[in-house]
Amino acid sequence: GTDGLFILAMIHCLMKAGRIDVDYLANWTNAACLVDAETGLLMRDKDDKLLVIDRNTGKLTPFDQKGVRPSLSATHEGNKPVLHHMAERYLSDEYAPEAVADKCGIPAERIRGLAGELAKTAFDEAFELPIEWTDFRGETHTSMTGRPVAMHSKRGISAHATGFQTARALHVLQIILGTVEVPG
């Protein structure tokens, strides 16, 4: 029942070491989307489009606009991107390997080692495939990055009392490594 805690400790390690796929997070997830400080909801424009700060212009822009390059660090009038909220949460000392080792029965050094192995495989063994594809913004790309890391939870995890949160943690791990819907 502590699988999720173990996974969150690996997320903590990866974020702390800066071993996350920032390009993937900015372009293909809602990590760059701004969170309204008052409501806690994702900010949207009058056409209900998610909003980001474009790195090219520094302006508030719809996430799906052609040519936009979402910023993971820019804020707007006190509203921060999703990634800021993730960092505040997962970089907390409560997810440090030393804090969870006894609870999940895995030594802190082993947690760090496993997180390092995932990062090494995802980033140091990444590969490019010369496959042309068009993204949701209508932009054409000449290649795609593959990451030889895969995880699959199936029913086993979700059948437990904390299963939903465990599955969510596993998906966050996959996303920060840039391994969802990519070859590998």
Side-chain angles (χ1 to χ4, degrees):
T2 58
D3 298 357
L5 189 57
F6 161 63
I7 295 166
L8 293 173
M10 288 196 297
I11 290 168
H12 173 92
C13 292
L14 292 166
M15 291 183 94
K16 194 160 189 144
R19 297 287 274 169
I20 61 175
D21 190 336
V22 293
D23 184 58
Y24 181 92
L25 288 166
N27 289 303
W28 315 121
T29 75
N30 71 357
C33 295
L34 294 169
V35 177
D36 185 293
E38 287 184 34
T39 66
L41 300 174
L42 294 175
M43 290 180 61
R44 296 175 181 272
D45 68 8
K46 62 180 175 34
D47 296 320
D48 206 34
K49 303 252 184 190
L50 294 172
L51 293 171
V52 297
I53 301 295
D54 185 2
R55 288 188 315 237
N56 295 327
T57 65
K59 295 183 180 188
L60 203 56
T61 309
F63 177 65
D64 65 351
Q65 182 173 304
K66 194 169 188 171
V68 71
R69 295 296 170 255
S71 172
L72 289 170
S73 58
T75 62
H76 176 73
E77 298 177 0
N79 303 303
K80 303 180 285 188
V82 168
L83 187 63
H84 284 223
H85 295 277
M86 290 174 65
E88 287 171 5
R89 181 71 178 143
Y90 300 130
L91 288 173
S92 165
D93 289 341
E94 79 180 281
Y95 297 114
E98 292 75 20
V100 306
D102 289 340
K103 294 174 188 165
C104 66
I106 301 171
E109 299 78 30
R110 183 70 178 136
I111 295 170
R112 275 196 184 79
L114 290 169
E117 286 180 41
L118 283 172
K120 180 182 183 307
T121 304
F123 302 122
D124 300 345
E125 297 176 22
F127 53 91
E128 289 290 317
L129 292 175
I131 299 171
E132 189 173 290
W133 61 285
T134 303
D135 66 25
F136 68 97
R137 292 184 182 101
E139 296 177 21
T140 301
H141 305 267
T142 59
S143 66
M144 57 185 354
T145 301
R147 303 223 181 265
V149 174
M151 300 162 211
H152 191 62
S153 60
K154 293 198 95 171
R155 173 130 166 68
I157 286 177
S158 61
H160 294 277
T162 58
F164 177 84
Q165 297 303 333
T166 300
R168 183 173 67 110
L170 184 62
H171 296 313
V172 169
L173 178 60
Q174 292 171 301
I175 290 166
I176 67 170
L177 290 171
T179 63
V180 176
E181 293 198 3
V182 299

